[in-house]
Amino acid sequence: MKSHAKVVVIGGGVVGCSVLFHLARHGWTDVVLLERDELTSGSTWHAAGGMHTINGDPNVAKLQKYTISLYKEIEELSGQATGVHLTGGVLLAATEARLDWLRGVVAKGRYLGIDLEEISPNEAAELMPLLDPKQFVGAVRNKEDGHLDPSGVTHAYAKAARKLGAEVERFTKVEDIVRRPDGSWRVITNKGEVVAEHVVNAGGLWAREVGRMVGLELPVLAMEHMYLITEDMPEVAAWNQKTGTEIIHAVDFDGELYLRQERGGMLMGTYEKANKPWSEFQTPWNFGHELLEPDIDRIAPSLEVGFRHFPAFQNTGIKQIINGPFTFAPDGNPLVGPVRGLPGFWVACGVMAGFSQGGGVGLALSNWMIEGDPGADIWAMDVARYGDWATMAYTNAKVRENYSRRFSIRFPNEELRAGRPLKTTPVYDALSAKGAQWGVSYGLEVPLWYAPDAVRDEFSWRRSSDFDHVAKEVAAVRGGVGLAEISNFAKYAVTGEGAAGWLDRMLACKLPKRGRMTLAPMLKDDGRLIGDFTLANIDDGEWFIAGSGIAEQYHMRWFEAHLPKNGSVRIEALGQKLAGLAIAGPKARDVLAKVTRADVSNAAFPFMAVARMDIGMAPCLVGRVSYTGDLGYEIWVAPEYQRAAFGALMAAGEEFGIGLFGSRALNALRLEKNYGSWAREYRPIYGPLEAGLDRFVAYGKEADFIGKAAALAERRQGGKLRLRAFIVDADDADVIGDEPIWFDGAVRGWVTSGGYAHHAQQSVAMGYVPKEIADEADGFEIEILGKRHGARIQSAPLFDANFEQMRA
C-alpha cells in the first residue's frame, strides 16, 4: 500500500467506487480506495438493484439520468458486465391525488429530457400484465427504468478506475484519521498509514464511525429493509415467451411497493410503516455479507395490498425474503460535499438509491474536489443543509418518518411532524395562542399562517383551507400594518480591521456607508450566484449580514474558506443568538414611532437605513427594509428581549388594526413585487444578469470581487436565460415550483416558485426562459396538474410598481 496519495476514498461500495472512477477519469490518478473487507461489503451487495430517473428534486433527477447513462461506458472500459436491463416501468396511482402528483412528474420530465407518458390503468396492464387495472385510476410510463447487477456495477467502477491509474486496497480497515499541522490527513489503517491531501468518507453503513474519527456526527441512520423473491411464476414465463421481453418495473405508490422480474419469478419490496432502525448508535465493524432476520409480520400489511393489486402473487410461493440495512439521511437524500471546518475532508454517504444516484454523486464530488465546484446544482444533496441541530435523536425520528413515507404523497401545504418542535423562539407560545400553524426551517419552528379555532390545513394540490385566512393576513399588511416573526433568517456579524476589504472582495455590491444597508449578491468564481444578502454597515468595522436561514452552514463554509489567515476578519453565524420581528404596511412607521424615542421620520430614517434603537424597553437593531414591498422595518433583538419587543409592537399597533402574518402571506406579498428568494430563483446555476440581480452588482468598483471577470463576461454576452414573473390563468391550483413553461407549443423554461397574490387577486409564477423569448407578450403557457394555462409576462410589479410606498 502506498504511503502518500492525493485522495483516499474510504469505502468500497458503489458510491466509493464511483467517486474513485470519476476522480481518475478527471485525471487525478494518485488516488486510492480503502475497503475494510471485500468490495460491496455493506449495503451494496444485497440491494435490489433497481434504477430510475424520477426524483422530487429536478436537479437530482438530472444526476440520476446521468448515472443510468454511465453504465454502458464503465462496462466497455472495464470489461466487467453490469447486468443492466432497461426494461422501462410504470408508476401507478390508486387515488386521484396520486395521479395529480404523477402529472407533475410528467411535467418535470418535459424539460429534464425524461421520456414520461401518462397512460390509463388498462394501458398499464398491457405493459405490466400482473397488475389489476381496476385497482388504479391512472399511471405513468417511464422508458428509462430498469435493474442491474449490484456487484457487477461496483466492480465495473473499480476496474475502470484501476485502468485509469487508481488503486484499490481491499481488506484494509481504516482505524483513525488525524489532521496534520500542514492540513493534510493521516489515514491510519491495519496495514499502515497513508498521508492524503483529501479524504472522502464513502463509508456507507460505517459513515458515522468514519465521521467520528474526525469529530463529526453525521445525520445518518441505517434502517432494516425487506424485499421478497417469489418462486417461478407461470404468468412471468408466459409473458417472456409471448413478448421476448422481461416484465417491466412497477412502483405502486399507494401500496408502498416496488416490483420487478427476478429470473423466473418476481421481486417485491416495500417501505413499511412499522419500520425498524438497525444498529442505532454504533455499526459493528465485523458486519459484512450477513443478512438480518426476516420479519414477514412487519411487512404483512403492505403485502396484503400487493396481493390485491397484483393478484398473480396470490398463487405463488415466496422463495426468499431479503432483509438488510440501508442508510438514510433525515430527508432521504444523500449527504455530499466538503465539510465546514475540515478542509480536505469530504462526504459521500447516505446514498440510499446508490444505483440511481451513485454515478451522479461521484461526478459531483470529483468536480467539486478538482474544479472547486460540483458542476451542477446539488443543494438537495449538500451536507451543509444540516446543522448541529440534526442530533442523533432527531435523525432517528426523521429517518423513521421518511422511511415510512417513502412512497407517500407530500402535499405542498403538508408539514411533517417527526422531530418537532425542536428549536423555538421566545414568542412561540404567544404566537401559538394566536392560532399559528407551524412549519420548520433549518430546524426552527416558523409560523406559516394563523388559523381560527377548529380550522387547520387540509392537505391538497389545490387551494386549501388556509386560502381565505392568508388573504386576510395580506389585507392587514397592505391596508394597515402586519407583524411577522422572522427569526428563521440567517444572521452574521462581521468585525475586524480587515472587514470592509474582505466584504468588498466577497460580495459583488458596493459597500454601504455607515448607517446604511444594501442588497448584496455573492458570486462564485464562475460568476454564478452563491448567495443573496442584505448587508448593513452598523459602525466602523462592524457589519451585519442577513440571508437565507436554510443556507447558514452552506454560506459559513464559503465564508470561512475565504477568511484571511492573519485574523484581521472575524465572522460569526449568530443563529438564534438574535431573534427577529418585522412590521410592514402603510401604518408601520406610526407603530414604530409609538414604541421608540428615535426619530423614524422619512427624513431621519429613510429607506435602507439601519440603526440601534430601543423598542419599548428592548434594545434592538432596526433596518428600514421589507420583503413585502411595503413601507416596513426588520427588527433584530436578543432572544431574551424578543417577548418584550413583540408585546410593545402589538400594543402600539392595536389602534391601527395590526395583524399577524406568516410565511404563506409573505410569499403572496413578495410575488406582487417580483422578489425572488434563495434556493428557488437564486441558485448556483444562474448568473446575476439572468436572475435580475445585476443592478446590485458593482461592476465598476475597484475591488476585484470573486466572480467579477465572469460576471462582466456574462454582462457582455447577455447570458442565456432570464428570470420572469408571469400572471397565470389558473383555476383552483397555483404553481408550487418546477412546472414547465411552454412557448408556442414547446417547453422552453421552468417555474421556480409562485402562488396566489391575494392583494392583486392574481395567480403568479416566477421562472426562467431563454433570453430570446423573455420579452414576448404572447404565446406562454404554464402546465399545472397536467393542464396548460395561459400565462403573460408581468412587465412591472403588481404592487407599487414605482417603489413609492416602500420609500415613502
Side-chain angles (χ1 to χ4, degrees):
M1 183 177 71
K2 61 168 61 179
S3 61
H4 289 76
K6 192 169 188 66
V7 185
V8 168
V9 179
I10 301 171
V14 64
V15 174
C17 290
S18 170
V19 171
L20 189 75
F21 163 73
H22 281 91
L23 287 169
R25 191 175 70 169
H26 279 64
W28 278 22
T29 56
D30 183 18
V31 293
V32 59
L33 182 147
L34 307 180
E35 164 54 44
R36 68 183 181 91
D37 201 311
E38 183 56 88
L39 297 183
T40 77
S41 298
S43 296
T44 296
W45 76 272
H46 59 74
M51 57 183 184
H52 53 90
T53 53
I54 300 303
N55 188 279
D57 186 292
N59 297 290
V60 177
K62 291 177 186 177
L63 292 177
Q64 292 183 185
K65 184 177 174 65
Y66 164 80
T67 298
I68 293 172
S69 70
L70 182 64
Y71 290 136
K72 182 178 179 181
E73 177 184 339
I74 63 169
E75 186 172 86
E76 291 176 351
L77 179 59
S78 67
Q80 167 72 50
T82 59
V84 169
H85 296 248
L86 283 174
T87 63
V90 286
L91 311 175
L92 302 165
T95 66
E96 290 295 334
R98 173 62 66 183
L99 188 56
D100 279 342
W101 179 80
L102 285 177
R103 286 169 177 152
V105 171
V106 172
K108 290 179 190 177
R110 300 193 203 283
Y111 64 82
L112 292 173
I114 300 174
D115 190 1
L116 304 170
E117 177 189 7
E118 182 180 343
I119 58 177
S120 70
N122 288 331
E123 289 173 314
E126 291 173 5
L127 297 169
M128 203 289 184
L130 303 186
L131 66 84
D132 176 4
K134 295 189 293 296
Q135 303 293 324
F136 303 98
V137 299
V140 165
R141 183 182 184 184
N142 183 2
K143 296 181 180 179
E144 297 182 63
D145 277 4
H147 60 94
L148 44 70
D149 170 20
S151 178
V153 164
T154 305
H155 283 279
Y157 276 128
K159 289 181 179 179
R162 284 196 195 99
K163 282 194 172 183
L164 294 171
E167 297 183 23
V168 174
E169 294 287 343
R170 299 173 301 150
F171 306 105
T172 306
K173 178 177 175 288
V174 174
E175 296 179 334
D176 202 3
I177 306 170
V178 179
R179 184 84 178 275
R180 296 187 357 149
D182 64 359
S184 62
W185 297 92
R186 293 173 56 213
V187 183
I188 301 166
T189 80
N190 60 336
K191 294 182 178 179
E193 67 178 59
V194 185
V195 175
E197 184 179 337
H198 300 276
V199 175
V200 179
N201 177 2
L205 289 175
W206 295 269
R208 285 180 307 184
E209 283 66 35
V210 173
R212 288 167 185 164
M213 294 177 185
V214 296
L216 178 66
E217 188 66 37
L218 288 166
V220 291
L221 176 69
M223 299 292 292
E224 293 190 14
H225 179 69
M226 280 180 279
Y227 62 86
L228 62 84
I229 299 171
T230 72
E231 295 175 346
D232 289 354
M233 299 172 65
E235 296 87 351
V236 173
W239 178 265
N240 296 162
Q241 185 174 5
K242 174 185 174 183
T243 66
T245 62
E246 289 182 85
I247 289 181
I248 65 173
H249 279 228
V251 177
D252 176 5
F253 290 99
D254 300 282
E256 297 162 340
L257 301 163
Y258 60 89
L259 305 91
R260 70 167 176 84
Q261 184 172 336
E262 174 68 16
R263 300 183 184 273
M266 292 292 294
L267 181 152
M268 177 187 284
T270 180
Y271 290 88
E272 72 279 7
K273 299 293 186 188
N275 53 64
K276 184 179 179 182
W278 177 77
S279 193
E280 296 179 66
F281 309 114
Q282 187 84 31
T283 305
W285 287 104
N286 59 357
F287 186 81
H289 280 79
E290 297 88 356
L291 289 172
L292 309 177
E293 191 68 27
D295 185 357
I296 196 167
D297 290 339
R298 204 167 75 234
I299 63 173
S302 295
L303 297 184
E304 289 176 8
V305 177
F307 293 167
R308 185 169 71 250
H309 287 187
F310 304 89
F313 279 80
Q314 299 173 18
N315 306 316
T316 189
I318 297 174
K319 182 166 64 176
Q320 187 179 12
I321 297 177
I322 305 293
N323 185 16
F326 289 88
T327 55
F328 294 77
D331 61 3
N333 278 338
L335 300 173
V336 179
V339 177
R340 175 190 167 198
L342 296 174
F345 191 86
W346 306 73
V347 296
C349 55
V351 190
M352 183 280 304
F355 296 101
S356 296
Q357 299 174 343
V361 168
L363 175 68
L365 197 71
S366 61
N367 283 339
W368 213 336
M369 198 177 296
I370 296 169
E371 306 293 342
D373 187 87
D377 185 353
I378 67 159
W379 168 251
M381 300 194 299
D382 196 322
V383 65
R385 70 188 187 273
Y386 291 106
D388 57 8
W389 47 270
T391 61
M392 185 181 291
Y394 170 90
T395 298
N396 192 304
K398 294 305 288 187
V399 167
R400 296 188 71 170
E401 177 185 60
N402 178 271
Y403 184 97
S404 71
R405 294 179 51 90
R406 178 93 180 138
F407 287 155
S408 298
I409 295 173
R410 173 75 182 272
F411 290 101
N413 64 332
E414 183 177 8
E415 296 294 323
L416 304 184
R417 299 306 313 168
R420 299 176 52 203
L422 177 58
K423 292 197 295 182
T424 59
T425 62
V427 295
Y428 176 81
D429 291 340
L431 298 184
S432 294
K434 298 287 188 179
Q437 304 301 296
W438 296 95
V440 66
S441 174
Y442 202 62
L444 179 71
E445 297 294 313
V446 296
L448 302 173
W449 63 289
Y450 292 85
D453 291 343
V455 177
R456 295 294 182 267
D457 266 323
E458 295 174 2
F459 304 141
S460 174
W461 297 110
R462 293 167 169 78
R463 294 169 191 163
S464 189
S465 52
D466 67 330
F467 188 79
D468 292 337
H469 304 289
V470 171
K472 292 176 182 176
E473 295 174 27
V474 168
V477 175
R478 292 288 192 238
V481 60
L483 184 148
E485 217 275 6
I486 58 168
S487 300
N488 57 305
F489 279 83
K491 291 84 62 178
Y492 311 90
V494 182
T495 56
E497 61 183 18
W502 181 74
L503 287 167
D504 216 14
R505 169 166 165 70
M506 294 298 295
L507 303 176
C509 62
K510 181 180 179 180
L511 297 191
K513 296 179 180 179
R514 181 179 176 183
R516 301 291 295 167
M517 299 185 296
T518 190
L519 297 180
M522 184 164 69
L523 310 181
K524 299 185 295 169
D525 294 275
D526 63 1
R528 301 291 174 173
L529 288 164
I530 200 172
D532 70 304
F533 304 100
T534 301
L535 172 67
N537 185 344
I538 307 301
D539 206 341
D540 293 334
E542 182 183 358
W543 302 79
F544 174 76
I545 301 174
S548 173
I550 61 173
E552 180 184 292
Q553 190 90 337
Y554 174 85
H555 285 136
M556 280 300 289
R557 182 177 63 193
W558 180 263
F559 287 142
E560 290 174 344
H562 291 83
L563 284 174
K565 305 296 184 185
N566 61 8
S568 61
V569 180
R570 295 175 296 280
I571 183 166
E572 179 186 5
L574 299 171
Q576 294 313 300
K577 293 179 181 178
L578 207 59
L581 300 168
I583 54 173
K587 298 296 183 181
R589 181 184 290 116
D590 297 320
V591 173
L592 185 61
K594 287 186 66 175
V595 296
T596 183
R597 295 181 62 193
D599 183 355
V600 293
S601 66
N602 193 44
F605 200 62
F607 179 61
M608 299 303 277
V610 62
R612 290 192 172 92
M613 62 182 73
D614 293 344
I615 303 294
M617 294 184 289
C620 301
L621 177 67
V622 180
R624 188 179 155 187
V625 65
S626 174
Y627 196 44
T628 69
D630 283 277
L631 168 67
Y633 305 87
E634 291 180 353
I635 299 162
W636 303 105
V637 56
E640 59 267 30
Y641 296 118
Q642 190 193 28
R643 289 178 67 90
F646 172 77
L649 290 166
M650 291 298 289
E654 188 172 355
E655 70 172 282
F656 305 106
I658 194 169
L660 296 171
F661 68 101
S663 60
R664 291 183 185 170
L666 183 61
N667 184 60
L669 292 161
R670 64 101 184 174
L671 288 171
E672 294 180 337
K673 293 293 291 183
N674 298 353
Y675 288 165
S677 63
W678 176 252
R680 292 186 286 188
E681 286 71 42
Y682 310 140
R683 299 184 74 138
I685 53 176
Y686 306 123
L689 176 63
E690 294 177 325
L693 294 181
D694 56 310
R695 65 189 185 278
F696 303 114
V697 175
Y699 294 99
K701 74 175 181 177
E702 186 175 340
D704 188 20
F705 60 86
I706 295 172
K708 183 177 183 178
L712 283 167
E714 181 202 33
R715 194 186 196 193
R716 287 193 302 270
Q717 297 160 11
K720 296 180 179 179
L721 302 169
R722 290 293 185 272
L723 176 64
R724 289 292 182 261
F726 296 85
I727 297 172
V728 187
D729 298 329
D731 297 327
D732 62 344
D734 305 294
V735 301
I736 58 175
D738 299 326
E739 294 86 355
I741 300 173
W742 296 72
F743 180 75
D744 280 353
V747 173
R748 300 295 304 278
W750 55 88
V751 171
T752 50
S753 70
Y756 192 78
H758 290 272
H759 180 70
Q761 298 185 343
Q762 300 278 5
S763 185
V764 176
M766 298 187 73
Y768 282 88
V769 294
K771 66 178 180 181
E772 292 78 13
I773 61 171
D775 297 313
E776 294 288 339
D778 301 308
F780 288 102
E781 296 174 301
I782 292 178
E783 185 173 346
I784 304 173
L785 300 178
K787 180 181 176 182
R788 285 150 64 175
H789 299 262
R792 299 169 303 287
I793 286 180
Q794 182 183 320
S795 56
L798 291 169
F799 175 77
D800 192 23
N802 295 322
F803 297 88
E804 294 174 352
Q805 296 193 44
M806 180 186 293
R807 300 173 184 274

